[in-house]
Amino acid sequence: MKVHVNGIELAYSDEGHGAPVVFLHAFPLNRSTWEPQVVGLAGRYRVITIDLRGHGESDAPTWRYTLDQFADDVKGLLDHLAISKATFVGLSMGGYILFAFYRKYPALIQALVLADTRATADAPDAKAARFSMAQVAYRRGAAAIADLMIPKLLSPASLTHRKDLQEQLRAIITGNQVSGIIGDLMAMEERPNSTPLLSTVTVPTLVIVGEDDVASPPDEVEEMSRHVPGATFVVIPGAGHLSNVENPEAFNAAIRTFLDSLEKREKEGLTEK
Ligand code: MLT
């Protein structure tokens, strides 16, 4: 399905019934990476997955991209779907967008799941690497970005044994426009440090990381989780950066347990009153 928001066509899927759970994908992928969550969770929840601006079937305008603008696109979709509150799951860049969304639209957030992501801003060398990667995209196209990114997205075990997954990711990445890839890189490069935001988070939060994540290492992600009041921290075994794709059973189980605990807390709150 598509909706016109903020001057572009945004593609999304809306599956199942129940409390809404909105999923924001990583760089430079698309909403199909949430397929294991659609399969595993739509029996009980309303699962909404979005091709963020610049990805998949959404438009990829040649123009400035910012994390606030991604957050505005998500808000536009929620307005279209008449959803006033949801749980949000963001993986890596999806997590960066959730920090922007939290700043702009906190009242829309029931709960947060931050997966394989970081609150810190890019250090100077990381900023320089964004510029270099944008030049690779400009000169050699999305296939060259797939070559650079796949080794960062998957665990060493998946890189050795999961050729199927590597091919799936290659098809997703090469299906993206260079304008979108470069837009993402600019948006991520200029993101602020969200560490000060963490201690102000008042919604229930689950922090997830793949045990073999090289892009956002488990110890850094655990440290981030310590700043969020009451956050739960879960390590996904046998997974790298794309923990939801590499070990969907454990990822979905973590989300189910978290959402169950919220429901339980809500019911207990209601009975106490
Ligand atoms: C992602 O998976 O979204 C990227 O690794 C994030 C980043 O490059 O900082």
Side-chain angles (χ1 to χ4, degrees):
M1 277 177 281
K2 286 197 179 179
V3 60
H4 192 80
V5 288
N6 304 322
I8 63 154
E9 293 292 311
L10 196 72
Y12 68 98
S13 301
D14 183 0
E15 310 273 351
H17 301 281
V21 188
V22 179
F23 289 85
L24 306 183
H25 63 73
F27 165 82
L29 305 176
N30 69 31
R31 73 189 196 277
S32 72
T33 51
W34 295 116
E35 189 54 29
Q37 283 62 54
V38 174
V39 171
L41 300 170
R44 190 148 159 221
Y45 300 99
R46 182 175 180 186
V47 175
I48 293 154
T49 59
I50 306 171
D51 278 348
L52 295 164
R53 172 185 293 254
H55 305 78
E57 297 171 319
S58 290
D59 283 344
T62 302
W63 194 241
R64 182 190 313 111
Y65 287 54
T66 69
L67 295 175
D68 278 358
Q69 183 187 49
F70 285 119
D72 290 342
D73 291 344
V74 174
K75 167 75 164 65
L77 173 62
L78 294 186
D79 287 348
H80 170 74
L81 298 174
I83 293 174
S84 56
K85 221 165 181 117
T87 293
F88 292 84
V89 184
L91 193 137
S92 200
M93 184 180 77
Y96 305 162
I97 296 168
L98 285 186
F99 294 132
F101 195 85
Y102 194 91
R103 273 187 205 96
K104 293 195 83 168
Y105 308 112
L108 298 184
I109 304 177
Q110 183 83 44
L112 279 177
V113 181
L114 302 169
D116 301 275
T117 195
R118 280 185 242 112
T120 48
D122 276 358
D125 58 336
K127 284 179 183 283
R130 301 283 188 205
F131 175 79
S132 303
M133 194 181 282
Q135 306 323 301
V136 171
Y138 166 62
R139 294 208 175 90
R140 294 170 39 216
I145 299 301
D147 292 339
L148 288 177
M149 285 306 297
I150 291 171
K152 296 181 186 169
L153 294 172
L154 298 176
S155 68
S158 299
L159 288 170
T160 309
H161 302 296
R162 298 289 312 270
K163 297 291 171 212
D164 58 321
L165 207 46
Q166 293 173 46
E167 286 320 305
Q168 188 190 332
L169 293 179
R170 183 170 297 282
I172 289 172
I173 296 171
T174 55
N176 286 332
Q177 310 275 342
V178 165
S179 54
I181 293 173
I182 293 176
D184 284 349
L185 290 163
M186 286 194 278
M188 292 192 288
E189 186 267 345
E190 61 176 22
R191 75 185 188 282
N193 177 14
S194 292
T195 309
L197 180 83
L198 298 173
S199 61
T200 71
V201 170
T202 54
V203 296
T205 302
L206 169 65
V207 179
I208 294 179
V209 71
E211 71 171 340
D212 297 319
D213 188 341
V214 282
S216 27
D219 51 347
E220 280 180 36
V221 178
E222 183 173 19
E223 174 58 22
M224 178 183 81
S225 77
R226 286 203 199 100
H227 290 263
V228 183
T232 306
F233 175 66
V234 172
V235 177
I236 304 294
H241 193 52
L242 291 189
S243 56
N244 70 307
V245 176
E246 295 182 85
N247 190 345
E249 294 78 16
F251 190 95
N252 290 352
I255 292 201
R256 261 190 240 109
T257 306
F258 175 62
L259 294 177
D260 282 350
S261 74
L262 300 188
E263 264 174 45
K264 196 164 163 248
R265 218 188 291 176
E266 209 168 285
K267 272 189 204 143
E268 282 169 1
L270 287 177
T271 0
E272 272 164 26
K273 275 177 200 161

